[in-house]
Amino acid sequence: MDKLSIRSNHAQINNNDPGIVYTGSWSNNTNRGFGDYNNDVHYTMTNNNYFEYTFTGSGIDFFTEITSDQGDIDIYIDNVFQETVSTHNATRLAQQLVYSIHGLPTGTHTFKAVKKSGTYMLLDWLRVTP
């Protein structure tokens, strides 16, 4: 078990999972060598582009890279704005937890992340809590 599999009942969803719906112009970058989960990310350079993931569970965690050319991301759960998170950092750090919500009523929920600023927005992976 790798160091990211914190609990076996948590599902890790890589950025290339077919359940993730990308809206706008997105690219997949593989073999990056920066320490990303499975060595890949999806990214966009256009503000207001977003991705959505519908899951069954009581919580979700959003992992991405933080670095100097990234900015703010608006987070929604079930189409309700939650908060704006920053992915800007002076140095590059991979697999950073930038948003987490737990204690949702167990059931089907939709997580949405919208690019608001910066040059890039990346998705590395998501973790779902049953």
Side-chain angles (χ1 to χ4, degrees), residues 4 10-11 17 27 29 33 38 43-44 46 54 57 66 69-70 73 85 92 101-103 106-107 109-110 113:
L4 297 174
H10 286 64
D17 187 280
S27 297
N29 194 337
N38 284 348
Y43 71 92
T44 184
T46 306
T54 299
I66 60 175
D69 56 6
Q70 291 183 199
I73 301 171
V85 297
R92 182 187 308 267
I101 188 168
H102 296 277
T106 300
H109 302 281
T110 300

Side-chain angles (χ1 to χ4, degrees), residues 23-26 44-51 113-115 121:
T23 299
S25 177
W26 289 80
T44 184
M45 298 176 69
T46 306
N47 287 346
N48 298 314
N49 282 356
Y50 61 92
F51 71 87
V114 182
K115 181 183 182 304
M121 173 178 141

Side-chain angles (χ1 to χ4, degrees), residues 89-110:
N89 195 59
T91 58
R92 182 187 308 267
L93 298 172
Q95 297 195 51
Q96 298 299 298
L97 176 62
V98 296
Y99 182 78
S100 181
I101 188 168
H102 296 277
L104 296 169
T106 300
T108 302
H109 302 281
T110 300

Side-chain angles (χ1 to χ4, degrees), residues 60-120:
I60 193 165
D61 301 316
F62 170 29
F63 291 84
T64 188
E65 183 177 278
I66 60 175
T67 190
S68 61
D69 56 6
Q70 291 183 199
D72 291 341
I73 301 171
D74 284 348
I75 304 295
Y76 295 80
I77 299 292
D78 299 331
N79 293 315
V80 176
F81 175 76
Q82 302 296 306
E83 67 178 279
T84 300
V85 297
S86 175
T87 59
H88 185 268
N89 195 59
T91 58
R92 182 187 308 267
L93 298 172
Q95 297 195 51
Q96 298 299 298
L97 176 62
V98 296
Y99 182 78
S100 181
I101 188 168
H102 296 277
L104 296 169
T106 300
T108 302
H109 302 281
T110 300
F111 174 85
K112 179 179 179 180
V114 182
K115 181 183 182 304
K116 298 312 291 180
S117 66
T119 303
Y120 295 96

